[in-house]
Amino acid sequence: MEFLLYLALGACAGVLAGLFGVGGGIIIVPVLVFSFTLQGFDASILTHLAVGTSLATIIFTSVNAVREHHRRGAVRWPIFAWMTVGILIGAGFGALTAEAISGPHLQKIIGVFALIIAVQLALDFKPKASRTVPGKVGLTIAGSFIGWASAIFGIGGGSLTVPFLTWRSVPMQQAVATSSACGLPIALASALSFMILGWHDPLLPAHSLGFIYLPALLGIALTSMVFARFGARLAHNLSPRLLKRLFAALLFCVGVNFLL
């Protein structure tokens, strides 16, 4: 039954990754926390396990989404390259930060973040394109912050990268496409860090590689890779306004649940 849940979760995450460039982690983490709680995993490590597993799944989600966006010529590869330099540094520090926070407190932090993203989506808030794309140093600094925050929240960074790029006058479709590409180094660096940090934890359940739970990773990866391409196609053909509002309502419920 749990594996069927992971398959369905992967399909939802894949569509969200391709459509919004958000990597799907913002919904994967809460569902995994709920699932791991029902499975009786230790409360002190289950949130870290959910975050680490979410980041590992984004590796698979990103690949097909990026291929579809690249096929359409929408990825700004020079921006991606310099942001990745910062992402690789920030993601490692983000994993260390998350590991230092207790499981219950980490859930509350993720809950606050979910509420912020819900409000942003519901109001369709987008920063005005008021500045140009920064240079190499500016992109590296931005990538460092995005990588750090993404590792803590278990996300692909799209909810941070897309607003940053649109503020810097990158067209929305290119911002989403480039954000999807940036999700890959975020996921690789963060997942590796969570795997190493949790490697010797005696409370981990069977079939874990550090803070990565392999059955959930497999189930989510199987469907997310297929549905990510579908989401990327929708991003180029449909107005996602209604879906954003529905997604915002879901995130609001998730955030409130984590804070109570």
Side-chain angles (χ1 to χ4, degrees):
M1 180 62 72
E2 288 84 4
F3 193 70
L4 292 177
L5 172 64
Y6 300 145
L7 290 172
L9 181 56
C12 294
V15 172
L16 292 173
L19 187 57
F20 299 127
V22 297
I26 193 66
I27 196 63
I28 290 175
V29 172
V31 175
L32 288 181
V33 167
F34 179 71
S35 174
F36 293 165
T37 301
L38 291 180
Q39 291 178 70
F41 293 174
D42 192 279
S44 64
I45 57 95
L46 69 83
T47 306
H48 298 83
L49 193 65
V51 171
T53 304
S54 170
L55 289 162
T57 65
I58 293 168
I59 297 171
F60 299 94
T61 305
S62 296
V63 171
N64 274 357
V66 173
R67 285 177 59 190
E68 185 66 24
H69 285 303
H70 174 66
R71 188 177 69 83
R72 295 173 179 269
V75 181
R76 299 278 291 271
W77 290 112
I79 294 177
F80 162 83
W82 284 105
M83 288 191 71
T84 296
V85 174
I87 283 168
L88 295 176
I89 298 170
F93 282 106
L96 287 169
T97 303
E99 202 234 352
I101 302 171
S102 69
H105 284 125
L106 185 57
Q107 284 191 31
K108 292 188 182 300
I109 292 172
I110 294 171
V112 171
F113 180 73
L115 289 176
I116 293 172
I117 300 303
V119 171
Q120 185 265 328
L121 286 171
L123 299 179
D124 200 22
F125 173 75
K126 299 185 185 75
K128 294 181 179 179
S130 57
R131 299 192 180 187
T132 58
V133 176
K136 299 173 182 178
V137 174
L139 289 173
T140 301
I141 293 173
S144 298
F145 173 77
I146 290 170
W148 174 79
S150 298
I152 295 174
F153 300 130
I155 61 173
S159 52
L160 302 172
T161 308
V162 172
F164 168 71
L165 292 178
T166 53
W167 174 51
R168 290 294 188 160
S169 302
V170 176
M172 178 56 73
Q173 287 188 348
Q174 292 182 11
V176 170
T178 307
S179 171
S180 290
C182 288
L184 186 56
I186 287 174
L188 283 168
S190 302
L192 180 61
S193 299
F194 271 88
M195 183 176 71
I196 294 171
L197 291 171
W199 192 263
H200 296 295
D201 196 307
L203 299 175
L204 288 172
H207 313 301
S208 296
L209 283 179
F211 289 129
I212 299 175
Y213 186 55
L214 294 179
L217 172 60
L218 176 62
I220 295 171
L222 283 174
T223 51
S224 66
M225 292 185 70
V226 176
F227 282 86
R229 296 184 69 179
F230 175 67
R233 289 170 186 164
L234 286 179
H236 291 273
N237 293 291
L238 297 177
S239 172
R241 185 174 181 181
L242 176 60
L243 187 55
K244 278 188 177 183
R245 299 286 171 85
L246 295 174
F247 188 37
L250 176 61
L251 287 181
F252 181 81
C253 294
V254 167
V256 170
N257 183 62
F258 269 25
L259 290 174
L260 293 179

